[in-house]
Amino acid sequence: MPAIGENLRINGERLWDSLMEMAKIGPGIAGGNNRQTVTDEDSEGRHLFQNWCEAAGCTMGVDTMGNMFATRPGTDPGALPVYVGSHLDTQPTGGKYDGVLGVLSGLELIRTMNDLDIKTKHPIVVTNWTNEEGTRFAPAMLSSGVFAGLHTQDWAYDRADAEGRKFGDELKRIGWQGDEEVGARKMHAFFELHIEQGPILEAEGRDIGVVTHGQGLSWTQVTVIGKESHTGSTPMPMRKNAGLAMARILAAVDEIALFHAPHAVGAAGHIDVFPNSRNVIPGKAVFTVDFRSPELDVITDMEARLRTVGQKVADDMGLEISFEKVGGFDPVEFNEACVSAVRDAAERLGYSHMNLISGAGHDACWINRVAPTAMVMCPCVDGLSHNEAEEISPEWATAGTDVLLHAVLETAEITS
Ligand SMILES: [Zn+2]
């Protein structure tokens, strides 16, 4: 295999122009984008992407979940393709780069390879995964999840938005239900470039995040039962204050996460007290504790500590407590060879880099279950994402795409 020269770079200006062109479709109200999944705007973005891919000599396949696959052939008809990609859908008040960079950087690889007449043994396929965001139709990463066998297609089609419209019906309506069987494709490897959506790379002054793990998540819903009574006339010793128990447990949640510093995190984002009235001591509190860590045994330990502490708080106060696990997924460990390909690429190109753990879910986390997978991350300003003010620099986008190019070429094996 010919060596990959360190001077081999993508065309950063062309990449940036494409990002800006795509951002014109489904503009937001504050400079970002509202191009939610399976809307007319989503369809328009898909057509633009398809036109660009076909102009670059690729053939487009679409599966029954609307996932798009643009193929640049390899020299060995028997070799499995190397896949790259992410998602073109956005949050209702989303940015111009979350997901979009991962798709259009894939297109830029193809354009660069065409310019330089680079051939690879393995075909290269650029992918747009349908409904990564999950805002309109929960859950997130819906179609990569069906592709990887986490959900059935029937279940996915049946997801409804706030107006009661079904995902499957909407996919058909916008004309992007393809005929390829979802999940039938086999991959040699999958790479996803994504903005970090966190502040670490910028704070550390690094160009590239080499993503080694994706965080696992655990949701435990806690219900504390006390007794509703008057906030003025109930003596302190006679109160059964479920709100106070919740406060003590939440302080413990913070300590539990800090015990497993620096990678574990914990908080309760969903809280209800009943009856939620100014002059009534809460008789019931229901809240969901969200624990995350890249290590499964840490998550298991945090769940166990929550139950122990919660039970003790309730017992000491004479209250009842119950725990229910209502969601979660295991941590992801990305493929060693693919991760090394990303690190070697950053090294060869002379970009500063560091290992990262992805705090958010990504399509790559699901695809990792069915193919050797890795992620590249580039910084974003102030770590801001899922916000119209999301911003990156053209230099960051270029560096991330250069690394993606080198990692993909190493994996797809250059023949000329
Ligand atoms: Zn994303």
Side-chain angles (χ1 to χ4, degrees), residues 86-87 89 97-100 132-133 192 194-195 197 360-363 385-386:
S86 191
H87 59 96
D89 69 318
Y97 314 99
D98 171 4
V100 188
E132 192 276 342
E133 293 294 357
E192 180 171 4
H194 205 284
I195 62 168
Q197 303 182 287
H362 293 289
D363 293 308
S385 184
H386 287 191

Side-chain angles (χ1 to χ4, degrees), residues 122-335:
H122 297 261
I124 312 249
V125 179
V126 186
T127 306
N128 169 34
W129 299 108
T130 305
N131 188 25
E132 192 276 342
E133 293 294 357
T135 357
R136 191 176 166 207
F137 299 97
M141 297 117 73
L142 181 70
S143 302
S144 54
V146 175
F147 186 96
L150 276 102
H151 323 296
T152 67
Q153 179 166 279
D154 287 347
W155 182 83
Y157 278 1
D158 214 35
R159 299 303 89 207
D161 68 8
E163 273 85 50
R165 289 171 298 204
K166 298 277 173 72
F167 171 82
D169 297 338
E170 286 291 277
L171 181 63
K172 255 181 241 154
R173 184 187 67 75
I174 67 160
W176 283 95
Q177 184 191 43
D179 46 22
E180 260 188 38
E181 184 195 339
V182 59
R185 286 169 173 265
K186 299 287 168 264
M187 300 179 174
H188 181 59
F190 177 68
F191 291 93
E192 180 171 4
L193 167 64
H194 205 284
I195 62 168
E196 184 197 346
Q197 303 182 287
I200 298 170
L201 290 174
E202 192 185 25
E204 299 281 330
R206 309 291 174 98
D207 305 312
I208 296 294
V210 179
V211 186
T212 58
H213 294 78
Q215 271 189 144
L217 174 157
S218 156
W219 281 340
T220 303
Q221 182 171 294
V222 184
T223 304
V224 184
I225 306 287
K227 190 173 188 182
E228 287 164 26
S229 58
H230 198 290
T231 50
S233 50
T234 316
M236 292 302 278
M238 294 176 69
R239 296 177 179 219
K240 292 194 182 298
N241 185 344
L244 175 62
M246 176 176 77
R248 288 177 176 165
I249 294 166
L250 292 186
V253 164
D254 203 63
E255 284 164 20
I256 289 168
L258 286 170
F259 179 81
H260 289 289
H263 293 312
V265 289
H270 167 255
I271 288 170
D272 278 317
V273 292
F274 299 90
N276 206 13
S277 171
R278 287 196 179 88
N279 53 4
V280 183
I281 292 165
K284 182 163 108 169
V286 181
F287 54 100
T288 304
V289 175
D290 174 314
F291 281 129
R292 301 183 192 220
S293 162
E295 292 166 70
L296 186 57
D297 47 349
V298 169
I299 289 182
T300 311
D301 181 70
M302 292 195 293
E303 287 171 344
R305 284 169 187 258
L306 169 65
R307 285 171 189 250
T308 307
V309 170
Q311 193 63 56
K312 178 156 192 331
V313 167
D315 289 349
D316 288 351
M317 296 175 69
L319 311 181
E320 280 171 44
I321 192 165
S322 61
F323 306 88
E324 186 190 353
K325 182 151 181 183
V326 291
F329 51 80
D330 290 350
V332 172
E333 190 175 349
F334 288 113
N335 178 268

